[in-house]
Amino acid sequence: MFLPFFERLRREGVPVSLREYLAFLEGMQAGLVTYDLDGVYYFARAAMVKDERNLDKFDRAFSASFEGLEGLSSSDVLSALDLPEDWLRREAEKFLSPEELDEIERLGGFDKLIETLKQRLNEQQERHQGGNKWIGTGGTSPFGAYGSNPEGVRIGQDRSRHGRAVKVWDKRDFKNLDDTVELGTRNIKVAMKRLRKWARDGAHEELDLDGTIRATAEHGYLDVKTRPERRNAVKVLMFFDVGGSMDGHIKIVEELFSAARTEFKHLEYYYFHNCLYEGVWRDNARRWEAQIPTREVFNTFGKDYKVIFVGDASMSPYEIAMRGGANEHWNEEEGALWLARARATWPDHLWLNPVPEHHWGYTQSIAMIRDIFEDRMVPMTLEGLERGFKMLGK
């Protein structure tokens, strides 16, 4: 019965293997999840999704495969229920207190519960709030929503108050992790994990859990161990294109910058406009009177820095290829020469482009910069960042 679900996962792009699918079937056969669609969802996700970028694809596949089960009416559910009373009693004893079991017995047991529910469905003609008999909201009636009863049937409630019967797969909390969508600060950080290079430094201490467990076992008493805090030791230098056509990409660039400042202890940054020339700046409000010579930047940061240019590379081709081609000042040397010098100074380099990759072929300047960077240009999607940071990580 789960084969169509497996095939749907494949069609949605979730790279689930046959071994993972068989492990899921073994767990179901062993009874790890029974009579609980949300439980099936979480178990299937744990068994068959190994990359968080595929969580949203999994949610779509699960919803398409099992949507009909959530769409059943209360009368459909009641007519389909055929559960042995002894099984119900054993399950109840696992999770309910003696007082709750007595409450159910006073109601008349499971059969009486279902019979009463059917009767009240037929008798009730209006909404009921609170109380302990009618189907309504609040109160302690065993039927309805937003109330509390040890053996209740939820009716008309848009969410679960006790963690049951929630269509979590339709919430699609992980849709922004899809590797085909534009980035946000959260998934930029996910992608930047690839650039992490941990090192021990500084005076700050953190708990050494493994060392504490080992020392406690050896000495017979709690022996807390600490160690120098780990920090990301990779060094990153970023150049951001600002103004002009980049104004439409401000939000995503701000999120990239925010994530980078959080992830990297050693982060330096400068701004430029359209193409790299003889000067860059740190403050856009003082870009003309406080420019920093680009050669000075070359001499300040060594080859151990990983350099990332962020820009749409959309400009007049003359700005790249000609002296005097810059649209805001007279450049004595063409932009292509400065870009080549930057690549030679920092061998680990990358160009991030917020323009969708399938549009690159329509802009000549994008093709020119992509050629200068020897195809080390990637789109600003999660997949693009993963691809680009893999280049930088080599």
Side-chain angles (χ1 to χ4, degrees), residues 72-99:
L72 295 176
S73 66
S74 58
S75 59
D76 292 332
V77 174
L78 292 175
S79 62
L81 282 173
D82 184 21
L83 302 176
E85 186 174 349
D86 60 339
W87 181 88
L88 287 172
R89 196 174 299 278
R90 286 197 303 271
E91 289 298 305
E93 289 172 354
K94 293 180 183 178
F95 303 105
L96 301 179
S97 67
E99 291 77 12

Side-chain angles (χ1 to χ4, degrees), residues 143-319:
F143 318 111
Y146 308 109
S148 177
N149 187 281
E151 192 178 271
V153 178
R154 177 160 64 86
I155 296 175
Q157 182 175 327
D158 61 347
R159 59 186 176 85
S160 171
R161 298 172 62 250
H162 303 291
R164 299 175 181 142
V166 182
K167 290 182 66 177
V168 290
W169 55 93
D170 272 348
K171 291 181 179 179
R172 293 181 59 196
D173 290 335
F174 303 100
K175 57 189 174 183
N176 67 328
L177 290 177
D178 193 323
D179 60 8
T180 61
V181 301
E182 289 190 357
L183 292 169
T185 302
R186 177 186 179 188
N187 46 7
I188 291 174
K189 291 179 180 180
V190 171
M192 285 182 172
K193 291 178 182 178
R194 187 176 290 276
L195 274 184
R196 289 177 176 174
K197 182 179 179 182
W198 296 109
R200 306 284 184 188
D201 64 354
H204 296 288
E205 297 287 313
E206 64 179 5
L207 174 66
D208 182 358
L209 182 59
D210 291 339
T212 299
I213 294 174
R214 188 181 305 109
T216 300
E218 291 175 352
H219 300 149
Y221 57 87
L222 180 61
D223 189 0
V224 177
K225 299 295 183 181
T226 61
R227 62 189 176 189
E229 185 179 1
R230 295 198 313 167
R231 297 184 181 274
N232 190 359
V234 69
K235 299 178 180 179
V236 177
L237 175 61
M238 303 187 76
F239 292 91
F240 293 95
D241 181 8
V242 293
S245 57
M246 281 298 294
D247 287 347
H249 306 292
I250 287 177
K251 182 177 183 296
I252 185 62
V253 174
E254 286 179 342
E255 291 175 343
L256 175 70
F257 182 59
S258 175
R261 294 193 70 172
T262 301
E263 288 295 307
F264 303 117
K265 179 184 178 183
H266 305 287
L267 173 68
E268 301 291 341
Y269 64 93
Y270 295 93
Y271 298 108
F272 68 98
H273 178 59
N274 283 354
C275 192
L276 186 67
Y277 297 112
E278 66 277 4
V280 292
W281 55 93
R282 296 289 297 265
D283 184 352
N284 284 303
R286 305 179 62 230
R287 58 180 297 185
W288 295 116
E289 64 269 24
Q291 279 201 10
I292 302 168
T294 305
R295 288 188 182 277
E296 181 179 317
V297 179
F298 289 167
N299 295 330
T300 301
F301 304 102
K303 293 183 180 294
D304 55 336
Y305 273 82
K306 298 182 184 296
V307 174
I308 303 173
F309 285 83
V310 182
D312 60 5
S314 301
M315 68 199 84
S316 167
Y318 296 110
E319 297 185 63

Side-chain angles (χ1 to χ4, degrees), residues 1-6 8-9 21 24 28 36-38 40-41 44 48 58-72 167 169-170:
M1 65 175 289
F2 291 109
L3 187 57
F5 173 46
F6 175 68
R8 185 78 187 201
L9 288 171
Y21 174 62
F24 165 70
M28 295 298 297
D36 181 2
L37 191 57
D38 289 345
V40 173
Y41 164 80
M48 295 188 282
F58 175 86
D59 286 353
R60 294 198 300 266
F62 194 93
S63 178
S65 301
F66 299 103
E67 182 69 24
L69 295 181
E70 281 290 313
L72 295 176
K167 290 182 66 177
W169 55 93
D170 272 348

